[in-house]
Amino acid sequence: MTYAPDAPAVPGTPPPASGVLPPRPPAGPAGPPAGRGAWAEGAARLRAAATTEPGRLRVLGAVLAALVVTFGAVTAFEVSDRAAAADDVVSRSQPLSADAADIYRSLADADTAAAGGFLAGAQEPAGVRERYEKDITTASRLLVKAAANTDGSSRSARDIAILNEYLPRYSGLVERARAANRQGLPLGGAYLRYANQQMSTRMLPAAERLYAAETARLGQDDRDARTWPFLSLGAGIVALAALLWAQRRTYLRTNRVFNQGLLAATAASTAVLLWLVVGHGVARAELDEARAHGQDSLEVLNEARINSLKARADENLTLVARGAVLTADGRSDKYETDYGTGMGRLTAALTRAAALADDPAGGDPVADAARRVVEWRQRHKAARETDDGGDYEGALARVIGAKDSTGESFDEVDAALEKALVHEQGEFTRAAEDGRAALTGLPAGAAVLAALAAAGAVMGVNRRLSEYR
């Protein structure tokens, strides 16, 4: 029996009748090695293609297009985020911060007006009554607005709930005080003191926390808007460096100075990078100006105005209580002590506001308020001396009288501070809107220019590929 030399016998298999095994069929093409899948095959073909110049050009075109598109996408995303933060500063955060300050001011002014009206006697002046009602209405309206723009689970929402709960209670106590005062009952003073206690221990602290929270949110939005887009800048530098390298490579291999497609891609990428740097730089500068010459001044002026209102309310309550409420140590009149503390804070705030004012329109009202505060202190001292001498009616005239009274000085201080606040609010709004405008159009422009740059890069590489066909 004869076997083919390379055909080993298979045990258990009978030999053919002729005694000669048929020839083995030719082996098929070798399959991929075990464990080597489609991805490995693709990588192997890519490496093989990269060994030729057309293959390398195709890889180069794909990489350049990917880098430019990534640059455009990252820029559009980051700048959109900065633009949204800048828009929040202008249209949401700062207005809410200003509203929170107005809530505090309205409540403090209502307390001042209530005490002033009580001191005027049974026939409360119509102007004082109207001022009180206007303050209560303003506070109620702004609380509704704040509630609509605040997250229900936040601390601000809880403070708004406290204010909404205690505002009608406070108004009710004031009305009881007025009713008792009209009847000549001394119980009216007790009601008014209790109303002031609710205002000073419950409502004003909640309003102050609300103002602090909204001001902190404004600061966060401002920082978000001013943060440099480092990812976009890095992606732009990498994309531009790759395009310049590709053009140099083309020049060294072909001795052609320019490749029109790559040149267009480089120009578009450079335009996006410059637009990004200049646009964000301008926005950052304007927002810095809004914060330094607007918001910082607004915070100090609001602090000054609030302290003037609190001092005025304490001054009025000194005459209402007539020594019935003492400090914790029992040695001094509480309202007179609080008045001195408030005036000290008012003077310090005016000093800071004068240092922050950067033009006469903002500095002159602050200087005028400071002069009126000095006058207020002098008149208050005279009023206290008159009251301590036993002349209550004379002291009352020096505090709430129409002429040469501490009330007149307070009104002049408040008017000067309001004028300064209006000016600084305008300065902030102008600078912040300019900062927001500097980012307008940049996200869309970056996306369009990046798409053009990617197309130019692909066209430039295809122009080189056509030379191999």
Side-chain angles (χ1 to χ4, degrees), residues 324-338:
V325 182
L326 302 178
T327 55
D329 57 10
R331 296 180 179 179
S332 305
D333 184 283
K334 177 183 182 302
Y335 296 118
E336 178 64 17
T337 302
D338 290 345

Side-chain angles (χ1 to χ4, degrees), residues 1-83:
M1 183 178 297
T2 304
Y3 290 92
D6 58 348
V10 179
T13 302
S18 61
V20 179
L21 291 174
R24 177 180 298 173
R36 187 172 180 181
W39 284 107
E41 277 295 307
R45 292 175 182 175
L46 185 61
R47 285 194 297 270
T51 59
T52 64
E53 181 61 14
R56 284 191 288 267
L57 287 174
R58 291 187 181 94
V59 173
L60 178 61
V63 170
L64 291 177
L67 287 175
V68 173
V69 169
T70 300
F71 172 39
V74 172
T75 300
F77 174 78
E78 279 199 310
V79 175
S80 295
D81 183 66
R82 305 305 189 272

Side-chain angles (χ1 to χ4, degrees), residues 242-254 256 262:
L243 287 167
L244 293 174
W245 175 84
Q247 290 185 84
R248 184 175 182 276
R249 179 181 184 277
T250 301
Y251 168 72
L252 293 176
R253 291 176 178 267
T254 65
R256 293 191 179 95
L262 293 177

Side-chain angles (χ1 to χ4, degrees), residues 129-419:
R129 176 72 179 183
E130 290 174 1
R131 181 173 181 172
Y132 169 83
E133 291 178 347
K134 179 181 178 182
D135 286 333
I136 294 297
T137 300
T138 299
S140 300
R141 175 177 57 82
L142 292 178
L143 283 172
V144 172
K145 182 180 177 182
N149 291 277
T150 302
D151 182 7
S153 61
S154 66
R155 175 65 191 179
S156 294
R158 293 192 290 273
D159 288 328
I160 292 171
I162 291 173
L163 291 170
N164 282 325
E165 177 184 354
Y166 278 91
L167 185 57
R169 295 185 185 181
Y170 173 82
S171 300
L173 289 170
V174 171
E175 292 306 321
R176 290 184 182 182
R178 283 176 173 154
N181 195 34
R182 284 193 294 268
Q183 299 174 37
L185 301 176
L187 187 61
Y191 276 124
L192 188 63
R193 291 194 300 273
Y194 185 60
N196 172 262
Q197 181 186 14
Q198 296 298 302
M199 177 66 75
S200 59
T201 61
R202 299 279 187 172
M203 300 173 68
L204 289 183
E208 187 173 6
R209 290 192 300 268
L210 178 63
Y211 174 65
E214 296 302 331
T215 302
R217 177 157 42 162
L218 169 61
Q220 184 60 53
D221 288 339
D222 178 67
R223 288 189 294 272
D224 290 343
R226 291 186 297 110
T227 301
W228 279 101
F230 291 111
L231 288 178
S232 300
L233 294 173
I237 292 172
V238 170
L240 195 58
L243 287 167
L244 293 174
W245 175 84
Q247 290 185 84
R248 184 175 182 276
R249 179 181 184 277
T250 301
Y251 168 72
L252 293 176
R253 291 176 178 267
T254 65
N255 207 28
R256 293 191 179 95
V257 178
F258 296 117
N259 178 292
Q260 294 180 353
L262 293 177
L263 185 63
T266 304
S269 298
T270 302
V272 174
L273 189 59
L274 289 176
W275 192 358
L276 174 63
V277 172
V278 174
H280 193 273
V282 171
R284 183 183 175 89
E286 292 292 343
L287 289 171
D288 280 339
E289 181 179 352
R291 177 180 52 81
H293 301 301
Q295 183 58 28
D296 289 349
S297 294
L298 286 171
E299 290 182 19
V300 175
L301 289 170
N302 280 322
E303 179 185 347
R305 197 176 192 190
I306 286 168
N307 281 308
S308 72
L309 289 164
K310 292 169 71 175
R312 178 59 179 170
D314 289 327
E315 183 178 49
N316 289 339
L317 286 166
T318 301
L319 291 178
V320 173
R322 306 188 70 176
V325 182
L326 302 178
T327 55
D329 57 10
R331 296 180 179 179
S332 305
D333 184 283
K334 177 183 182 302
Y335 296 118
E336 178 64 17
T337 302
D338 290 345
Y339 164 83
T341 301
M343 291 299 282
R345 292 174 177 171
L346 169 59
T347 302
L350 288 175
T351 301
R352 296 200 305 274
L356 289 171
D358 59 338
D359 57 8
D364 290 347
V366 175
D368 185 44
R371 288 192 297 269
R372 301 301 181 182
V373 166
V374 174
E375 180 184 69
W376 183 0
R377 285 179 177 273
Q378 294 171 349
R379 292 177 175 179
H380 176 81
K381 182 180 179 181
R384 294 310 313 145
E385 291 174 350
T386 303
D387 189 33
D388 292 340
D391 185 3
Y392 177 78
E393 294 298 328
L396 194 62
R398 289 180 178 274
V399 172
I400 64 171
K403 195 70 175 175
D404 298 332
S405 66
T406 59
E408 182 183 24
S409 297
F410 163 73
D411 289 338
E412 290 170 344
V413 170
D414 192 64
L417 290 175
E418 183 176 9
K419 184 177 180 181

